[in-house]
Amino acid sequence: MVLPERVERSFWIDGDRLRSEPVQGAELVVDGGWLLPGLVDVHTHPGTESRDSPFDDGVLRKHLVEHRDAGVLLVRTPGTAARMPGWVDEDPELPRVRSAGRWLATPGRFFPGFGRDVGEEELVRAAVEEAEASAGWCKVIGDWRWGEPPVPQAVLTAAVEAVHAAGGKVAVHCQTAEGCRNAVVAGADSLEHGMHLEADLLDRMAAQGTALVPTLSVFAAGAGPRRAGERTAARDAWLAGWEASPGNARAAYEAGVTVLAGTDSLPCGTVAGEAAWLVRAGLPAEAAVGAASWSARSWLGLPGLVEGAPADLVAFDVDPTVIPEALAHPSRVILRGRVVA
């Protein structure tokens, strides 16, 4: 059974492409079960394991293999400590990658030296440069600490307009109400995290196609330590934002906003846990699974399971839209036409 269409269909693989007609000499690798387009993590940062460790090719490969073995066959990397090396796209053993160059951080708005530090007056040029040097995306740190101003609205708007004019797209890190508002009004293509996102922005997001990547699982993991920490205004604001985040994700979905699954955490290959959090937030199970599969692939410009599509697919013994926890346990993983797990 093929998802999301819920129809019985047979596929053959010809090289790295799916075919609906028999291919001579084909070997049966999946018989029955449920077929999904390869899973997708739209917010992951492979290549480094801490702010104190440099971007490393060996670590990058390790992280991408972790994604692949879990059935995550397409990743978007919205910001890394270095531009994605060219060998990643050439390696048939690794997931397909949509990179966004280095994080773009204006003064005081990120970990110093971890991304590309630029002045506000340089942001427009830098955003275009990173988009053109990557897979067409760039990532702007739109805000940082609570109680401190985000990137000015006019500056962020100019950056988004310049990247769009160059044919690229912009992801914006935002966790404060003002930062979220600036990103939406600027016309950003995606809000990363969206903590403190206000409900009156949702219709505009839906109308202009701004997606929300709420990264619920990483916030859920950090909530306990935050609650146990010293009570400060920043800590209380963070917790308030986290407590509202699942409801925001549900409200965004109900308003017609594209809500997608991104982990923003280690280990890699855990997007099934993010999909589970979307279900817990109140999204229908099919929408949550789609956020980590067919919906995310379509949003990133790749087709699902259709004639001539890339042969990137995962098989399951049970329907993951009925039993979402099954998403973490594919029975087969096929990347570029080859069985890899």
Side-chain angles (χ1 to χ4, degrees):
M1 192 73 73
V2 173
L3 289 174
E5 295 86 355
R6 295 185 173 277
V7 296
E8 291 188 8
R9 190 179 299 160
S10 295
F11 285 108
W12 283 260
I13 295 175
D14 183 11
D16 65 351
R17 296 284 149 176
L18 289 178
R19 301 299 177 197
S20 55
E21 297 295 328
V23 173
Q24 186 174 4
E27 174 187 352
L28 182 67
V29 294
V30 177
D31 187 9
W34 299 80
L35 297 180
L36 275 70
L39 302 184
V40 185
D41 189 333
V42 300
H43 189 127
T44 180
H45 303 294
T48 184
E49 298 194 332
S50 75
R51 296 194 300 274
D52 301 321
S53 60
F55 188 88
D56 179 83
D57 281 9
V59 174
L60 174 61
R61 182 180 294 276
K62 169 179 172 287
H63 287 165
L64 291 175
V65 168
E66 289 172 351
H67 277 303
R68 181 203 70 191
D69 290 349
V72 180
L73 307 183
L74 173 62
V75 301
R76 183 186 62 145
T77 62
T80 47
R83 289 175 180 164
M84 199 62 55
W87 58 260
V88 170
D89 289 333
E90 299 168 2
D91 192 329
E93 300 292 327
L94 299 180
R96 301 177 195 272
V97 176
R98 298 292 181 265
S99 62
R102 293 170 287 181
W103 290 284
L104 291 171
T106 50
R109 295 191 179 101
F110 200 44
F111 306 110
F114 199 51
R116 178 178 174 183
D117 296 321
V118 298
E120 290 180 358
E121 72 283 357
E122 304 172 278
L123 182 61
V124 172
R125 175 178 55 81
V128 172
E129 289 174 351
E130 294 300 321
E132 291 181 338
S134 68
W137 282 86
C138 74
K139 167 77 170 290
V140 177
I141 306 299
D143 59 21
W144 196 234
R145 296 181 180 88
W146 280 269
E148 296 182 5
V151 174
Q153 176 69 73
V155 174
L156 188 57
T157 299
V160 171
E161 290 177 348
V163 172
H164 285 175
K169 296 185 177 182
V170 182
V172 178
H173 165 106
C174 47
Q175 297 188 57
T176 67
E178 188 179 1
C180 290
R181 184 168 295 277
N182 284 359
V184 173
V185 173
D189 297 279
S190 67
L191 267 60
E192 309 302 313
H193 315 303
M195 218 182 231
H196 295 282
L197 175 63
E198 295 173 330
D200 67 337
L201 295 169
L202 297 180
D203 287 344
R204 181 166 183 166
M205 290 176 67
Q208 67 191 25
T210 298
L212 173 64
V213 186
T215 63
L216 298 176
S217 51
V218 72
F219 288 141
R226 291 272 184 165
R227 288 193 184 97
E230 179 184 358
R231 186 160 190 171
T232 64
R235 173 255 196 197
D236 291 349
W238 191 97
L239 287 172
W242 156 239
E243 289 163 4
S245 288
N248 285 346
R250 180 179 64 253
Y253 169 78
E254 292 172 348
V257 174
T258 298
V259 178
L260 299 171
T263 58
D264 191 27
S265 63
L266 297 174
C268 293
T270 59
V271 78
E274 181 66 18
W277 263 104
L278 292 175
V279 172
R280 202 174 306 178
L283 271 69
E286 186 160 332
V289 174
S293 179
W294 57 84
S295 299
R297 294 180 73 84
S298 175
W299 186 71
L300 288 169
L302 285 176
L305 302 184
V306 295
E307 169 72 25
D312 299 342
L313 62 155
V314 284
F316 297 87
D317 294 330
V318 298
D319 182 353
T321 68
V322 175
I323 306 175
E325 54 267 30
L327 204 64
H329 305 287
S331 59
R332 278 284 188 275
V333 177
I334 299 172
L335 172 64
R336 304 175 200 266
R338 297 176 58 250
V339 176
V340 295

